[in-house]
Amino acid sequence: MAAPFTRMMSGRNSAVLLASLGAGTLASGYLLTDSTAAAERKRLYPPSADFPDLRKHNNCMASALTPAIYARLRDKITPNNWTLDQCIQTGVDNPGHPFIKTVGMVAGDEESYEVFAELFDPVIKDRHNGYDPRSMKHPTDLDSSKITSGMFDERYVLSSRVRTGRSIRGLSLPPACTRSERREVERVAVTALSGLKGDLSGRYYSLGEMTEREQQQLIDDHFLFDKPVSPLLTCAFMARDWPDARGIWHNNEKNFLIWINEEDHTRIISMEKGGNMKRVFERFCRGLKQVEQLIHERGWEFMWNERLGYILTCPSNLGTGLRAGVHVRLPLLSKDPRFPKILDNLRLQKRGTGGVDTAATGNTFDISNNDRLGKSEVELVQLVIDGVNYLIECEKRLERGQDIKIPSPIAQFRK
Amino acid sequence: MPFGNTHNQMKMKFTSEQEYPDLSKHNNHMAKILTPAMYERLRSKQTPSGFTLDDVIQTGVDNPGHPFIMTVGCVAGDEETYEVFKELLDPVIEDRHGGYKPTDKHKTDLNPDNLKGGDDLDPNYVLSSRVRTGRSIRGFSLPPHCSRGERRAVEKLSIEALASLTGDLKGKYYALKNMTDAEQQQLIDDHFLFDKPVSPLLLASGMARDWPDARGIWHNDNKTFLVWVNEEDHLRVISMQKGGNMKEVFHRFCTGLTKIESLFKDRGHAFMWNEHLGYVLTCPSNLGTGLRGGVHVKLPNMSKHPKFEEILKRLRLQKRGTGGVDTAAVGGVFDISNADRLGFSEVELVQMVVDGVKLLVEMEKKLEKGQSIDDMMPAQK
């Protein structure tokens, strides 16, 4: 590992220690060091002068933040010098989203979730259906052999996909990272990925350096990501220095793909045409485990703890960070008035085939799990498989002129 | 990043080389001037309010180039930015402002009586006249860097000061976040309303944070004098009216500005100004006078003339579309204004506009009649 990063290693080790200790140890955080000017500024502008105007806002942060909480947290910083104002800027700048209640805050590093727990915890609870990080534990399970009935009827399911994110412990997250940290994330990830073999062996395309032909190919494959345009992301400082240290890695078979330094350190995607979700998930788990092994060999690890599972930039992706979904044709069911309720009870969500914030075209929908935290990867993928199979059954029944039933709601969390 | 230097201590753990931005595809003033050695010398510094070098240059790193103009690529977070980071900003200023040296002194002249003529631009050609500038209030951070509390304090001070204006300058303040639909529509119809910036040049510098908190528009009852609060600068001051009486526009501009300045002084706040840089504003391109004086003028024949650009250059004028910067001209109507901001006084700049537009209109009339304008070519000012 490069020498300048060894000093950071001790920071990383303490972060590891603190993270594993979990709740409460960093509750006090570090106070902003007082230079005279900074102290003067604090005196002139007490927290009440800086409290954001959230009266027109509708996001989880705005629902949870009070002047009292703000006053207690405003002057704290994480060990990487990240502040509360920086966490909430995106929620202040984006009062509401027409389709969904957005989260409205991001983490700048692993410690954000601890130092600013007084605000993150209620936001997590709100977003993740009552999951309480103070008292509950999140299960991680990447054993794909446990999946049953993972092969869909391909007359209905056009493609299957599982995605998640992973953060490299010891390096700040995309809202906060410096250029050299971001470049280090790229280096760590690309080095690890170059060690993948067999059906997982592949190559890296740096966003800033790819040729026009490579770019066109990636667009045609639907792999290319571009500089974020959503103000939810740009207001969270994630697009700084674009396209420095951003890139795409994919295997030669084009069914295992990694995005580097977009909204998270890494986004991992396993996908293929057709309905073999079991195989998609099997490759997903295998690839993830191998990448984890490869970074371990060099002394790195993923951000994870037993309260929050895998740590990602947006609180909405905590836990598994997993979205497993299919593109499925449901021409009759989608017109049935019971469709939303069925989805709801199955804990599934629909999106257009362009992904989040798009509408469905024709009768093809992107159907995926709602939940991320509180259920394991295996549980969520099984839930999607069972749910989608149920939807296909409904579609077939409607085709035959038979009636369908709304299934009973699935339980939120295991006891 | 805005909100103080909290991030700077963190970055010093990494070497300058590791942090240096990739400017290989960039074309802006900052990218032309910054070197790894300069970056190394400046990266450990910060202004008293905590603005750092990376804060200064972020917009230039994020925006490699602009199709029409060479952008500046850096911004100030407070008055001291121009001192602490002078090693970068002085050459940027020199490059941007036609060779203005670090030792040069800038002359301020807001006496409208010193303007000769300007009351007789032909209204058949000159559709409207306008003068704008910006002002920053000493003691507060600038839009890229200010906290919500500071921004609100700037707004409060501005409202108080503007409320004291009387006579033809008496007017009303409309806070962006409180205006009614009817008020909003009226302001749009009057072409007064400004909206959240969409230009990535502005967004990347952090100026749009917390929108629309503490942003607003003040204008007088006659709708000829307008102040924007907390858009790209603390204050943007605009005097405008239909027709070609630039003298009247400039007179109101100077009177209003001088009055506002004394109202702020009464409340213990000066404008940011020094004898080297003149009025200090967020973008280095607006230093000095911060003044853009211009007209909307019909020049359908002139604009097709092969020497149009050359003439403008010699007159030290620039053309824009009637939608302002980054727009194209519509129907032969151009926005013609002074190209300079620093190194010339307000009177001198408006004089250039008045004299230059007068000449352009005469040329237009000649071309209409099918006559040549070759003997009217101006010398380089």
Side-chain angles (χ1 to χ4, degrees), chain A residues 303-377:
Chain A
M303 291 183 195
W304 179 94
N305 68 52
E306 61 175 5
R307 294 178 309 107
L308 297 177
Y310 288 101
I311 305 293
L312 294 177
T313 304
C314 181
S316 69
N317 283 319
L318 289 168
T320 61
L322 185 140
R323 192 171 92 86
V326 297
H327 283 188
V328 58
R329 293 188 323 105
L330 298 168
L332 297 174
L333 181 59
S334 58
K335 294 186 190 62
D336 191 297
R338 291 165 288 189
F339 185 42
K341 185 74 179 139
I342 294 173
L343 286 176
D344 218 42
N345 284 6
L346 292 173
R347 306 213 57 74
L348 297 176
Q349 62 175 217
K350 75 179 199 304
R351 299 181 183 189
T353 50
V356 70
D357 295 348
T358 66
T361 49
N363 298 304
T364 309
F365 291 83
D366 175 323
I367 303 287
S368 63
N369 51 297
N370 255 336
D371 305 312
R372 306 268 183 273
L373 174 64
K375 290 194 164 96
S376 75
E377 290 81 354

Side-chain angles (χ1 to χ4, degrees), chain A residues 50 81 85 93 176 178 180 241, chain B residues 6-7 19 54 62 148-149 210:
Chain A
D50 279 336
N81 291 346
D85 278 319
D93 288 347
T178 70
S180 61
D241 314 312
Chain B
T6 49
H7 217 66
E19 282 293 336
D54 279 319
D62 288 348
R148 282 181 290 273
D210 316 311

Side-chain angles (χ1 to χ4, degrees), chain A residues 144-151 278 378 381-382 385-386 389:
Chain A
S144 59
S145 67
K146 294 178 181 160
I147 297 295
T148 62
S149 320
M151 182 68 214
K278 187 171 166 84
V378 164
V381 172
Q382 192 63 60
I385 288 170
D386 297 341
N389 278 331

Side-chain angles (χ1 to χ4, degrees), chain B residues 126-131 239-246 249 294-295:
Chain B
V126 177
L127 307 176
S128 58
S129 308
R130 180 184 188 263
V131 180
S239 170
M240 59 202 262
Q241 66 195 50
K242 293 231 180 289
N245 196 341
M246 182 61 96
V249 169
V295 298

